[in-house]
Amino acid sequence: MRISIALCTYNGERYLQEQLDSILSQTRLPDEVIICDDQSADSTWSILEKFEAQTQIKVHLIKNNTNLGSTKNFEKAINLCSGEIIFLADQDDVWLPKKIELMASVFEADQDVGMVFSDAFLTNELLQPYSKSLWECVGFDSNIQNLCLSGKLWTMLAQESYVTGATMAFRSKWKFLLHPFSSDWIHDEWIAFLMELFSHVKAIPQKLIMYRQHSKQQIGMKFESNFIKVRSYIFPDKSRRRYKRYIDRMDNLLKRIIDFQKQLREPQMYDELLNQLKYLQIRYNLPKNPWKRWCIIRQQLAVGHYRKYSKSNRMALKDFFC
């Protein structure tokens, strides 16, 4: 089973060497490393050229002609990978030595597994771990883990992101579903959702990377205050006024999978996602007239959509007054 790593870089000179060293320290080395640099203006390219010259691993360096942004850059790197399994890598993390070995063994043990992701040590820029792990920070608790085990994680992925690209690997045979990546989705959200719909996704609890948090990174973890936690408990779903983004995302996802419905892991998935999209549209377009608004809200309560798609009927109260 050939293994590829898709690594994207952009002005990563400060931490890149540690990531490259951690790849070379793997107990199971990759067969190739595809690295797409997104017009770095620092010494990133020099570090990459040195890496290519000093390693026996097949390395393919690509310097983009224009800045693509992280999602399109990962799309490019993934499409260039030739291995059966593709690991995603960020430029500023550090992999623990058995990451590839342990994750590859999951794919080898079960041909139905299409994607694997792990937990991670959440660290500061000096790689000093915080008290919470990555899973704890993103809310991938026992309830959500059980959903993943039962193959139902897809019911949560329209509005919540539990899978971080730096902890992810997937089978390349599904690349045809991914391309082109939707501009409304971050690359790891897009991959995770589609993999969950068409294959079996396995979450392994081992912390296999040091997921570095620092001021220069594009996407990091946000630590919630106690006030935000209490507010999220009372109203677990986000404000309906923010639903335009979710509506666009879901619409793009459904357009992507409509021609592949027969390949979905469960036949009812498409219709269920379509119902979820309709619910989002109804909430987003609630009328200003209080009576008309209440009639629509009451109907959604009666069919159980608030509890099913927004986690709590309390969101109906928020919709009525906001």
Side-chain angles (χ1 to χ4, degrees):
M1 186 172 67
R2 296 187 72 254
I3 292 172
S4 299
I5 294 177
L7 170 62
C8 290
T9 60
Y10 176 68
N11 291 342
E13 63 180 5
R14 186 173 182 184
Y15 305 116
L16 177 58
Q17 189 62 56
E18 288 180 281
Q19 172 66 300
L20 297 174
D21 290 342
S22 74
I23 290 173
L24 294 181
S25 298
Q26 292 295 298
T27 55
R28 177 171 180 172
L29 291 172
D31 295 282
E32 67 174 4
V33 182
I34 306 297
I35 307 176
C36 290
D37 182 72
D38 210 19
Q39 288 281 299
S40 291
D42 60 5
S43 63
T44 292
W45 189 253
S46 297
I47 296 171
L48 294 175
E49 287 182 317
K50 184 178 178 181
F51 171 71
E52 181 185 30
Q54 292 181 344
T55 180
Q56 298 301 310
I57 300 171
K58 180 182 177 182
V59 176
H60 188 188
L61 298 182
I62 303 96
K63 181 181 289 188
N64 297 336
N65 293 325
T66 59
N67 184 275
L68 299 178
S70 60
T71 293
K72 285 298 180 182
N73 200 21
F74 266 109
E75 178 184 353
K76 181 176 181 178
I78 288 167
N79 284 335
L80 291 170
C81 289
S82 63
E84 298 166 68
I85 306 297
I86 300 173
F87 283 73
L88 303 189
D90 292 343
Q91 65 184 5
D92 44 13
D93 302 325
V94 170
W95 288 11
L96 299 186
K98 290 191 174 183
K99 173 183 167 71
I100 293 180
E101 178 185 344
L102 291 175
M103 295 180 71
S105 68
V106 178
F107 289 107
E108 290 170 335
D110 189 347
Q111 291 299 312
D112 290 331
V113 172
M115 188 184 83
V116 179
F117 68 101
S118 75
D119 199 357
F121 290 101
L122 204 61
T123 78
N124 64 16
E125 57 189 282
L126 299 176
L127 296 181
Q128 297 168 331
Y130 292 115
S131 58
K132 286 188 175 183
S133 73
L134 176 62
W135 281 7
E136 289 174 312
C137 193
V138 300
F140 193 64
D141 57 24
S142 58
N143 292 329
I144 307 301
Q145 289 175 41
N146 287 333
L147 279 179
C148 187
L149 283 171
S150 63
K152 298 295 183 181
L153 185 61
W154 62 275
T155 62
M156 304 293 292
L157 291 178
Q159 298 181 53
E160 300 291 344
S161 178
Y162 297 106
V163 185
T164 302
T167 70
M168 168 196 297
F170 60 93
R171 292 192 189 273
S172 62
K173 72 175 186 177
W174 295 110
K175 284 199 294 184
F176 74 94
L177 279 172
L178 305 177
H179 181 78
F181 284 33
S182 170
S183 59
D184 291 313
W185 293 78
I186 299 173
H187 67 279
D188 51 10
E189 296 176 330
W190 181 247
I191 295 169
F193 211 149
L194 287 169
M195 291 298 99
E196 169 70 2
L197 291 175
F198 288 89
S199 70
H200 292 277
V201 169
K202 184 77 178 266
I204 56 176
Q206 291 94 330
K207 301 179 184 69
L208 297 181
I209 73 169
M210 309 290 281
Y211 189 57
R212 194 193 310 255
Q213 304 297 288
H214 58 90
S215 59
K216 299 292 185 180
Q217 70 189 139
Q218 182 177 6
I219 302 172
M221 292 297 106
K222 295 180 180 179
F223 295 91
E224 294 184 343
S225 66
N226 290 332
F227 170 76
I228 293 176
K229 290 178 182 178
V230 171
R231 185 180 65 183
S232 297
Y233 174 76
I234 298 173
F235 297 115
D237 198 4
K238 296 177 175 64
S239 169
R240 67 181 181 86
R241 300 184 189 279
R242 297 175 61 183
Y243 271 18
K244 184 62 169 66
R245 176 173 179 262
Y246 298 129
I247 289 169
D248 291 342
R249 282 157 55 99
M250 185 66 79
D251 186 54
N252 284 335
L253 183 81
L254 289 169
K255 287 177 180 176
R256 174 58 51 86
I257 68 177
I258 191 170
D259 293 329
F260 304 102
Q261 291 184 58
K262 292 182 178 179
Q263 294 176 256
L264 288 168
R265 184 163 48 80
E266 297 178 15
Q268 79 279 9
M269 283 174 161
Y270 183 87
D271 289 340
E272 179 60 28
L273 291 172
L274 185 59
N275 288 337
Q276 192 171 356
L277 172 60
K278 291 177 180 177
Y279 165 77
L280 295 174
Q281 292 170 329
I282 287 171
R283 284 190 65 196
Y284 181 74
N285 292 302
L286 283 172
K288 293 182 179 180
N289 181 282
W291 174 247
K292 291 181 179 179
R293 178 184 295 199
W294 169 243
C295 288
I296 295 173
I297 290 172
R298 184 176 60 182
Q299 182 185 42
Q300 292 299 305
L301 282 169
V303 295
H305 284 173
Y306 272 99
R307 182 170 295 279
K308 185 175 186 178
Y309 299 128
S310 292
K311 306 178 187 177
S312 172
N313 286 335
R314 289 188 295 269
M315 296 307 303
L317 183 66
K318 186 175 183 180
D319 278 356
F320 183 73
F321 288 105
C322 298

